[in-house]
Amino acid sequence: MSIKKFTNEAENTLINKIEGIFKHKNIHFFDALVGYFRASGYFRIRKFIEKASEIRILVGINIDNLIKELPFKVGG
């Protein structure tokens, strides 16, 4: 299993990385560890990550109320 870390530095944004990965690879499992998780960020990445058969997002600090209401379980 390959583990990759990304940071938002310069043009190395998370959305660019996620888009690139899902555009060029067949991803079955998507695991993410984030500090904060906002609905705006989820809706930006949803079209890419929904191609994965299993999605797990572990949130370390805080999520907004809209994320709490989504039909999937978010860890935190």
Side-chain angles (χ1 to χ4, degrees), residues 6 14-15 26-27 41 43 47 50 55 61-62 64-65 75-76:
F6 304 112
L14 184 58
I15 189 69
N26 188 12
I27 304 297
F43 290 119
K47 65 183 175 184
E50 68 186 2
I55 300 166
I61 299 172
N62 197 332
D64 59 24
N65 288 329

Side-chain angles (χ1 to χ4, degrees), residues 5-58:
K5 296 185 287 183
F6 304 112
T7 59
N8 283 323
E9 296 175 351
E11 297 298 315
N12 189 32
T13 64
L14 184 58
I15 189 69
N16 288 343
K17 287 294 185 183
I18 290 173
E19 180 179 9
I21 289 168
F22 280 90
K23 189 183 285 186
H24 300 290
K25 295 185 181 230
N26 188 12
I27 304 297
H28 298 284
F29 303 102
F30 177 78
D31 292 330
L33 171 63
V34 297
Y36 296 89
F37 194 56
R38 301 287 177 245
S40 59
Y42 168 73
F43 290 119
R44 287 190 68 193
I45 66 170
R46 181 174 64 179
K47 65 183 175 184
F48 305 112
I49 68 172
E50 68 186 2
K51 297 173 185 174
S53 57
E54 185 173 330
I55 300 166
R56 298 185 306 178
I57 301 171
L58 178 62

